[in-house]
Amino acid sequence: MLEYIPYGKTGYFNQLVTDFLAEQPQIRPFYTYSPVHPDFAAAMQARQKFDTPRAALVAALEQQYEALEPTKAVQDNISALLQPTTFTVCTAHQPNIFTGYLYFAYKILQTIKLCANLKAQYPQHNFVPVYYMGSEDADIEELGSIYLDGKTLTWNTAQQGAVGRMQPEGLETLLADVKKALGYAPHADELMTLLQKTYLEHQNIQTATLYLVHALFGRYGLVVLVPDNAALKRLYLPVIKDELFHQTSFGIVNNTLEQLSVHYKVQANPREINLFYLQDGMRERIVQEGDQWKVLHTPLTFTAASLEAELEAHPEKFSPNVILRGMFQETILPNIAFIGGGGEIAYWLELQQLFAHYQVPFPVLLLRNSLLLVDEQSRQRMTKLGITTTELFKTTEDIVNDYVKQHTNASLVLKDEYAAIDQLFDVLEAKAKSIDVTLMATTASERKKALKSVGKLEHKFLRAEKKKFAWQTDQIRQLKNKLFPAGSLQERKENFMPWYAAEGPAFLDRVLAAINPVTDQFTVLDCDSCD
């Protein structure tokens, strides 16, 4: 069963996201195409005017895929990228261990689904789904943990720098924990075999993640792009040089932020130089001090000449931060649409003028699909309690209170009593005014006290009545904890593995079928075999 709820009615998405989807006038100037009725034909036309480095891109991808088992759908898509009639749809995410969160899979499946839909709409073109791996991210605290079976499992490693370059040492312990959590689910053994090959037979996290994502999604033709690549970064040298020597992006993005921040909280602030210096075990900011460029927290220092020489010899050592990463992606890919979460959309809205300055086409921005998977036991509880899907998105206490008020025989809402107090104090205020106008303030103060006392009684009545519904309130709390772990959206906490262990590849097929690539609706999907 599928149900849909507008994002704005879930209570889990901020104003920027809902305004973006609604195309509100205060946010509409910051992106090029409608996120709910996008003009893909216009995006393709704009992209065709840009000189995408297709041959270099394909050469880099073929090299990345050399060690992987060939998959015809992927090989065909990589070859198709040489043709000017082929475009990409891209999503991006860091190489979280074990893929991190459920929405990792959702983003990729949405990218795949959109490409299929576009091919049906524009059969004269080809559309290739791309997962751009944010392998240079250094946030190991975020990327090194997963939530499984009600527990947070953390990879204890002392390695530093880009997570993609880290060696997957010490993950044997986590693999044992994962195996225990998955138990004897029908597809647990095949999943564990895949995970062991992923993390015990690859030299670093980015090659391991490439292997895992290819194994899971290669049959759909998904192409994985690892941007930590000298040949690919060489294609971005003009922008990197401009950033190092002129700091162009700082002024342009700050100008956008002045306008955007009038209405919304800023997602990412630009620095004077929006590049890191990257080596194994280290990713540090580059700063300019006078006529020298320094790598923070290291003894590395460059003159203009030595910095340019380093850049020409080792472009892979220069890593764009969030301000420059998106334009790097759009420079090397023939991309027409980018699928991202709310946080990603927020920082992309800062970048349109930067793209215009460098004459790089700005893609269609689409909010990633959000899904809630409802297992059979939870659906049965909902039916028994009479709780609708929309009601699920309320806070636990609101659901409990609404349930008790709906099913009690007592009058818990003291509307008549509030009205009676207001009526009484209206009379008293009139009398106070006729006796001494200064008494009106005292009377108003007493009115507030009386209403507050009634409110306290109302709260105590409800609390007492809840005790009569102890079983039902306990069921409601269990339901919410199951579907909204730690008070969060399921997709932002849970990992895909329990569902995959239960259903195998069919799980991904079913989610793919449920996805609507261009939508302003949250999806609720019943998951009968996932208990």
Side-chain angles (χ1 to χ4, degrees):
M1 184 173 73
L2 279 171
E3 295 180 81
Y4 302 97
I5 303 168
Y7 280 106
K9 291 189 176 180
T10 65
Y12 283 89
F13 295 86
N14 62 29
Q15 194 65 46
L16 182 144
V17 169
T18 55
D19 285 356
F20 167 72
L21 292 172
E23 302 186 64
Q24 294 293 345
Q26 69 269 23
I27 198 173
R28 189 60 186 84
F30 297 96
Y31 52 99
T32 306
Y33 305 99
S34 166
V36 285
H37 304 290
D39 188 345
F40 290 110
M44 285 188 280
Q45 188 175 23
R47 171 49 66 176
Q48 283 180 319
K49 296 176 182 177
F50 185 80
D51 186 19
T52 303
R54 292 177 180 270
L57 170 65
V58 169
L61 288 171
E62 286 176 342
Q63 184 181 34
Q64 289 178 7
Y65 273 85
E66 279 179 351
L68 294 174
E69 184 177 341
T71 300
K72 187 176 187 303
V74 174
Q75 290 177 307
D76 288 349
N77 275 343
I78 291 175
S79 298
L81 287 170
L82 288 170
Q83 304 303 317
T85 53
T86 297
F87 303 97
T88 61
V89 174
C90 181
T91 193
H93 201 76
Q94 305 98 316
N96 297 61
I97 59 169
F98 306 105
T99 75
Y101 308 105
L102 264 170
Y103 68 73
F104 177 91
Y106 300 164
K107 291 166 80 170
I108 288 175
L109 291 169
Q110 183 177 350
T111 304
I112 292 164
K113 185 73 168 280
L114 179 57
C115 284
N117 288 4
L118 287 172
K119 180 62 177 176
Q121 189 176 354
Y122 303 98
Q124 71 274 30
H125 296 292
N126 289 317
F127 302 90
V128 175
V130 173
Y131 160 53
Y132 178 105
M133 190 190 304
S135 57
E136 294 169 23
D137 194 312
D139 187 2
I140 185 60
E141 290 185 10
E142 170 73 13
L143 278 60
S145 296
I146 59 165
Y147 184 86
L148 193 63
D149 196 26
K151 300 173 185 176
T152 298
L153 305 180
T154 300
W155 177 27
N156 293 315
T157 179
Q159 297 176 80
Q160 295 181 330
V163 173
R165 293 189 177 192
M166 291 181 180
Q167 298 175 0
E169 58 189 25
L171 281 170
E172 296 90 341
T173 302
L174 277 189
L175 284 166
D177 292 336
V178 168
K179 182 177 176 66
K180 184 178 179 182
L182 297 180
Y184 298 98
H187 297 268
D189 286 346
E190 68 184 70
L191 179 55
M192 285 307 305
T193 298
L194 172 59
L195 295 175
Q196 286 162 353
K197 286 183 178 179
T198 295
Y199 293 108
L200 303 183
E201 298 180 14
H202 290 88
Q203 64 179 2
N204 57 37
I205 294 297
Q206 65 189 21
T207 56
T209 304
L210 170 60
Y211 176 85
L212 178 60
V213 174
H214 179 64
L216 292 172
F217 302 100
R219 62 193 174 100
Y220 303 112
L222 179 76
V223 173
V224 180
L225 176 61
V226 182
D228 185 4
N229 179 294
L232 292 177
K233 287 188 177 173
R234 192 169 294 283
L235 304 171
Y236 202 45
L237 282 185
V239 174
I240 296 177
K241 285 183 181 180
D242 197 34
E243 184 70 10
L244 289 169
F245 297 115
H246 302 109
Q247 289 98 59
T248 304
S249 67
F250 182 70
I252 294 174
V253 177
N254 268 330
N255 182 57
T256 300
L257 290 183
E258 284 183 18
Q259 305 167 51
L260 193 59
S261 62
V262 172
H263 302 285
Y264 306 101
K265 182 181 177 182
V266 172
Q267 182 71 17
N269 283 297
R271 301 184 184 278
E272 286 82 359
I273 295 177
N274 292 285
L275 294 163
F276 292 91
Y277 189 81
L278 184 65
Q279 287 183 337
D280 289 347
M282 182 265 282
R283 183 180 187 242
E284 295 288 351
R285 283 176 51 211
I286 302 170
V287 297
Q288 184 178 2
E289 295 180 3
D291 59 356
Q292 290 192 322
W293 284 258
K294 296 182 178 180
V295 180
L296 291 181
H297 309 117
T298 78
L300 292 170
T301 302
F302 299 93
T303 64
S306 65
L307 182 62
E308 186 160 8
E310 179 78 350
L311 180 58
E312 290 288 349
H314 299 288
E316 72 279 3
K317 292 185 178 181
F318 294 82
S319 175
N321 75 357
V322 68
I323 298 299
L324 292 181
R325 189 206 63 78
M327 199 164 61
F328 176 41
Q329 167 191 299
E330 299 299 309
T331 297
I332 60 179
L333 290 171
N335 201 49
I336 58 167
F338 176 74
I339 294 170
E344 290 171 293
I345 296 298
Y347 72 70
W348 274 81
L349 296 180
E350 303 175 13
L351 305 178
Q352 189 182 47
Q353 291 307 309
L354 186 65
F355 275 67
H357 174 80
Y358 286 105
Q359 299 182 315
V360 178
F362 197 75
V364 173
L365 296 183
L366 298 174
L367 183 69
R368 70 165 174 82
N369 274 200
S370 282
L371 285 82
L372 173 64
L373 305 177
V374 180
D375 58 276
E376 187 175 5
Q377 183 185 39
S378 294
R379 179 60 70 181
Q380 289 174 351
R381 276 184 178 166
M382 289 171 64
T383 302
K384 198 166 188 176
L385 293 165
I387 294 173
T388 66
T389 301
T390 303
E391 287 173 327
L392 265 184
F393 287 84
K394 295 180 179 180
T395 68
T396 303
E397 290 311 305
D398 282 346
I399 298 173
V400 169
N401 291 344
D402 289 347
Y403 183 89
V404 172
K405 289 173 184 176
Q406 186 179 346
H407 292 85
T408 184
N409 293 321
S411 179
L412 300 177
V413 181
L414 305 179
K415 290 182 181 178
D416 293 342
E417 289 76 5
Y418 282 118
I421 287 174
D422 274 328
Q423 190 175 10
L424 171 62
F425 274 90
D426 286 345
V427 173
L428 291 174
E429 282 191 10
K431 284 188 177 183
K433 185 177 181 180
S434 66
I435 296 169
D436 183 346
V437 72
T438 61
L439 292 173
M440 290 185 67
T442 304
T443 309
S445 176
E446 293 299 324
R447 181 201 292 260
K448 286 183 180 178
K449 290 179 183 178
L451 290 172
K452 190 174 181 180
S453 295
V454 173
K456 287 181 179 179
L457 283 172
E458 188 176 51
H459 179 71
K460 288 181 178 180
F461 289 172
L462 178 60
R463 189 170 59 188
E465 192 67 12
K466 281 182 186 177
K467 295 177 181 178
K468 300 178 184 178
F469 293 88
W471 177 84
Q472 292 91 337
T473 57
D474 184 58
Q475 290 288 300
I476 291 170
R477 294 184 199 284
Q478 288 183 38
L479 178 67
K480 278 288 287 188
N481 288 337
K482 178 73 182 291
L483 298 181
F484 295 80
S488 173
L489 283 177
Q490 178 191 70
E491 63 183 27
R492 298 179 189 171
K493 193 77 175 175
E494 299 276 6
N495 183 271
F496 87 102
M497 291 187 290
W499 283 271
Y500 192 93
E503 292 187 66
F507 166 68
L508 300 178
D509 293 335
R510 202 155 49 78
V511 173
L512 180 65
I515 277 175
N516 183 359
V518 183
T519 184
D520 59 358
Q521 304 284 308
F522 188 107
T523 303
V524 180
L525 172 63
D526 274 16
C527 190
D528 296 339
S529 60
C530 304
D531 229 333

